[in-house]
Amino acid sequence: MDLHFGDSKPTDEERAAVDGLLGPPESPWEGASDRPDADLRWALGGRTARDRRDLLLPGLHAVNDRIGWISEGALAYLCRRLTVPPAEAYGVATFYSLFAVRPRPATVVQVCTDLACAARGSAELCSSLEARLGAPGTPVAGGAVWEKSPCLGLCERAPAALVVRAGPPAAPSWLGAQFPAPLSGHVNSAPPAFEERGSGGGAPSYGKGRGGEEAPSRATAVLAPATVDAITRAAAEPESAEPEPPAAMAVPQAGQKGLILLKRIGRIDPHSLDDYRATGGYEALRRAFHLGPAEVIREVTDAGLLGRGGAAFPTGRKWQATASQPDHPHYLVCNADESEPGTFKDRVLMEGDPYALIEAMTIAGYATGAHLGYLYLRGEYPRALERLTHALAQARARGLLGGNVLGQGYAFDIEIRRGAGAYICGEETALFNSIEGYRGEPRSKPPFPVEKGLFGKPTTANNVETLVNVLPILTMGAQAYAAIGTPASTGPKLFCVSGKVERPGIYELPFGATLGDLLELAGKPDQLRAVLLGGAAGGFVRGDELDIPLTFEGTRAAGTTLGSGVVLALDDTVPLPRLLLRIAEFFRDESCGQCVPCRVGTVRQEEALHRIAERTGAAAADDIALLRDVGRAMKDASICGLGQTAWNAVESAIDRLGTYA
């Protein structure tokens, strides 16, 4: 690809995709064809041009969703509109697995081959697909292609596949008579309270937000569990796929009394704001306004809420550190890019109870002094995108978002930004870079996000489960919440149970329940060989170690990790060496390549596991010694958690399970 402004022209469809996001170009400098040549002398100033850089990722999505791939002409036109160097934009476009910069069919079938699906026969499914449809990437009937994919977040219905068909955006069924004015299809329009202001007075600036979100624009179909026949039919005709089951199907406990985080899922219509409010919705926000920001932070601190994304950092301390920063504006970021293989709890919460997340984000923004929140949503979650887009529209229409939330004089709004298939963007600073329009590479710390985060401003970043826990803290009180669980791990916890169990899905238990308690609920196999805790970045425990308490401190004492709540059960039918090799392949593919220990170490780890699979004895022992050296180097010297944890599962399988012994 020629990486400068050249003569390549966008097609009418590509131009329409970009203009639908950004609005029509204002001059020939931006690509307008109906302006005199004299206007070429006009261009945006440097600061104004840089302030549009964060629209690069939505722009790439707009083209990829509409056409199916991003051509040189489309990329050049988008770069001209945003004043972004094409070489940099090309680097961003090629960073994400969901984007293509070479021609491909409009319909792509992504077949998951990651851990939960591997335990449920994805290897056999792919072999059957190759026999019937040809190798991955081979065009099939209807002009579609199928590809092997990392985890799609559909682990409770493994093996899974996702069908994506590019095309013009269609208005969702919920748009129309409900709203007098239709939602804007581009992020560059905003309610007056959120427009950027100059320095000449007027209302205060709330930062870079435009108060909109990306509208759903792809035709998608979920096939889970997937079969060869279903994939073949959907490849030729995506509309033939059966409707996706309700989110409650992923919650075996749905409807049970005593649930806190999952209490609404399966009991209310997730589209209905009235249903949400009738079951206690927005009581927490009203109490937050009654308490004031400082007291809200005190409640969260006294409740002992720890982050549920894996790091277990105290949420109250993070909020207080952001709120106390004198630099403004402050930002709130919800990390909904759960890409850890085996994790799907945030997806279920967003699909089944979207208003809870919106309310929780509003409370977090109020407490930390933020007036704009970004919801960074995993690109493989089309139904969550539809549900959240609808919920945001309803909340704005009812005065629950916007310039005067609940009439309290507090301005807050939320923008959805879609990820594009990069596990590394689950790391908070990589996520910030992605939103800003750069490659999703982690930043060095310090400075920490609470000091300089998104757009260089103080930022609070929490994942979906962490934020949703704020609602019961405020409705039941900090002391009552802290009484659930253990003194060091308070509250309820969601666990993603998959693999060889009878009832895979999301389970809610108080901290302190044992691994055996959880697997009894899910229906553990008779011959339980091992359990992977924490996903690909976690560790294995033996099938007889079921008395491990499911707490942050309990799993640490047992020499493993709780992580984000992944519990993958394996029996003797699952080839463990092949599973370890898949973990190594995953980290090799997902490494951003920024630091040498991770970029080289993940490759060496995979190579060694390939060699071990081909031989045994003394030769294998040499490679195990090499694995230990490489693993220590990655753990000690990698910039971020991806490289630091890439060796964990392999190490635990060797030392704890005796694999390759």
Side-chain angles (χ1 to χ4, degrees):
M1 181 176 283
D2 193 7
L3 301 182
H4 58 77
F5 287 118
D7 296 329
S8 299
K9 303 295 183 183
T11 66
D12 290 342
E13 280 286 290
E14 291 168 341
R15 183 184 290 269
V18 175
D19 291 349
L21 179 81
L22 304 177
E26 298 183 14
S27 78
W29 184 270
E30 288 194 358
S33 58
D34 59 345
R35 302 287 196 279
D37 289 342
D39 281 354
L40 281 171
R41 293 174 295 179
W42 175 90
L44 293 172
R47 178 176 296 178
T48 305
R50 287 193 298 273
D51 278 350
R52 293 161 58 87
R53 174 72 184 245
D54 65 301
L55 296 176
L56 179 59
L57 184 60
L60 293 171
H61 267 301
V63 175
N64 198 74
D65 289 352
R66 187 77 164 258
I67 311 301
W69 67 289
I70 302 165
S71 71
E72 182 178 347
L75 186 67
Y77 180 64
L78 177 61
C79 290
R80 189 176 294 280
R81 293 295 316 274
L82 297 178
T83 322
V84 173
E88 292 187 21
Y90 182 80
V92 172
T94 54
F95 185 82
Y96 299 98
S97 64
L98 296 185
F99 295 148
V101 294
R102 292 182 176 84
R104 71 175 179 185
T107 301
V108 178
V109 183
Q110 300 170 345
V111 181
C112 180
T113 59
D114 242 317
L115 307 184
C117 288
R120 286 285 190 173
S122 64
E124 293 78 6
L125 175 63
C126 289
S127 296
S128 299
L129 285 172
E130 289 195 42
R132 181 180 294 191
L133 304 179
T138 304
V140 298
V145 296
W146 74 278
E147 300 174 348
K148 294 182 179 181
S149 169
C151 183
L152 295 171
L154 297 163
C155 314
E156 81 280 13
R157 289 178 277 148
L162 181 68
V163 185
V164 181
R165 170 172 283 183
S173 59
W174 44 265
L175 275 179
Q178 287 178 285
F179 304 103
L183 289 178
S184 171
H186 55 80
V187 292
N188 211 21
S189 66
F194 291 90
E195 291 176 353
E196 292 193 287
R197 311 289 179 172
S199 57
S205 170
Y206 296 123
K208 299 175 73 72
R210 283 108 178 147
E213 64 280 323
E214 297 180 62
S217 60
R218 298 181 298 171
T220 56
V222 171
L223 307 176
T227 63
V228 175
D229 289 340
I231 290 174
T232 303
R233 287 195 303 270
E237 201 174 340
E239 296 80 4
S240 66
E242 295 183 4
E244 192 174 353
M249 293 294 290
V251 183
Q253 297 169 303
Q256 290 184 12
K257 293 183 178 180
L259 296 179
I260 297 174
L261 305 180
L262 302 176
K263 64 180 182 180
R264 294 187 186 88
I265 296 179
R267 296 180 55 207
I268 67 169
D269 176 4
H271 285 95
S272 173
L273 178 55
D274 290 332
D275 280 9
Y276 177 71
R277 299 186 75 166
T279 52
Y282 282 96
E283 290 180 4
L285 180 58
R286 291 184 185 279
R287 182 160 190 259
F289 282 137
H290 175 74
L291 293 173
E295 285 302 312
V296 170
I297 294 176
R298 184 187 298 276
E299 284 282 291
V300 173
T301 303
D302 291 347
L305 176 61
L306 302 179
R308 302 301 202 242
F313 190 85
T315 304
R317 282 176 54 192
K318 182 184 290 189
W319 286 19
Q320 180 59 50
T322 305
S324 62
Q325 294 296 319
D327 192 15
H328 286 274
H330 295 178
Y331 290 108
L332 171 71
V333 172
C334 173
N335 184 349
D337 190 57
E338 58 168 2
S339 302
E340 185 71 49
T343 308
F344 52 99
K345 57 186 174 60
D346 290 351
R347 188 204 92 224
V348 174
L349 286 172
M350 290 185 290
E351 291 179 353
D353 199 5
Y355 292 103
L357 177 57
I358 293 172
E359 181 183 5
M361 288 185 68
T362 308
I363 294 169
Y366 176 66
T368 59
H371 294 280
L372 178 65
Y374 284 90
L375 201 168
Y376 190 89
L377 178 64
R378 189 176 179 192
E380 294 91 341
Y381 285 175
R383 185 159 73 168
L385 175 62
E386 183 271 333
R387 294 275 169 87
L388 287 164
T389 304
H390 168 65
L392 288 172
Q394 289 273 40
R396 291 191 191 105
R398 303 275 284 272
L400 300 170
L401 288 175
N404 188 16
V405 176
L406 282 176
Q408 297 293 316
Y410 169 61
F412 184 74
D413 210 341
I414 297 171
E415 289 190 20
I416 296 177
R417 292 296 174 92
R418 274 190 293 156
Y423 171 75
I424 190 63
C425 288
E427 197 279 335
E428 59 187 0
T429 61
L431 186 155
F432 299 158
N433 278 338
S434 182
I435 292 176
E436 292 177 22
Y438 297 93
R439 291 167 62 89
E441 296 173 342
R443 305 172 184 173
S444 297
K445 302 174 186 178
F448 294 97
V450 296
E451 303 166 303
K452 290 188 179 296
L454 186 64
F455 305 119
K457 298 296 182 179
T459 303
T460 297
N462 294 119
N463 77 340
V464 174
E465 185 187 356
T466 305
L467 287 166
V468 171
N469 268 275
V470 173
L471 304 182
I473 289 174
L474 292 181
T475 53
M476 67 173 52
Q479 289 187 347
Y481 180 91
I484 302 170
T486 68
S489 299
T490 62
K493 178 74 183 79
L494 300 182
F495 297 95
C496 310
V497 185
S498 59
K500 294 294 188 173
V501 294
E502 294 177 9
R503 296 174 293 278
I506 299 294
Y507 289 85
E508 179 184 319
L509 290 175
F511 275 115
T514 66
L515 179 58
D517 295 335
L518 176 61
L519 290 177
E520 285 296 330
L521 285 176
K524 69 181 180 68
D526 293 333
Q527 302 296 324
L528 182 64
R529 179 182 182 187
V531 179
L532 177 61
L533 294 177
F540 287 96
V541 298
R542 297 189 309 273
D544 59 358
E545 295 182 287
L546 299 184
D547 58 347
I548 295 175
L550 295 175
T551 61
F552 294 114
E553 68 276 14
T555 50
R556 279 195 299 268
T560 184
T561 179
L562 193 64
S564 59
V566 174
V567 178
L568 177 67
L570 306 172
D571 62 13
D572 291 334
T573 66
V574 179
L576 193 55
R578 177 59 204 152
L579 201 69
L580 294 178
L581 187 55
R582 177 66 193 112
I583 290 173
E585 292 170 348
F586 174 81
F587 282 115
R588 177 209 64 199
D589 290 341
E590 298 296 339
S591 173
C592 74
Q594 182 181 195
C595 67
V596 172
C598 180
R599 181 177 70 242
V600 177
T602 53
V603 174
R604 295 292 173 264
Q605 177 174 263
E606 184 203 2
E607 291 172 345
L609 288 172
H610 268 296
R611 290 194 297 269
I612 290 172
E614 295 169 3
R615 63 184 189 273
T616 56
D622 292 341
D623 274 318
I624 290 175
L626 174 63
L627 279 172
R628 294 189 187 278
D629 289 342
V630 170
R632 281 193 293 268
M634 288 194 291
K635 186 174 294 186
D636 292 342
S638 295
I639 288 176
C640 79
L642 188 150
Q644 294 164 10
T645 60
W647 153 245
N648 286 0
V650 179
E651 180 184 33
S652 65
I654 293 172
D655 293 341
R656 201 156 196 152
L657 305 182
T659 307
Y660 306 126

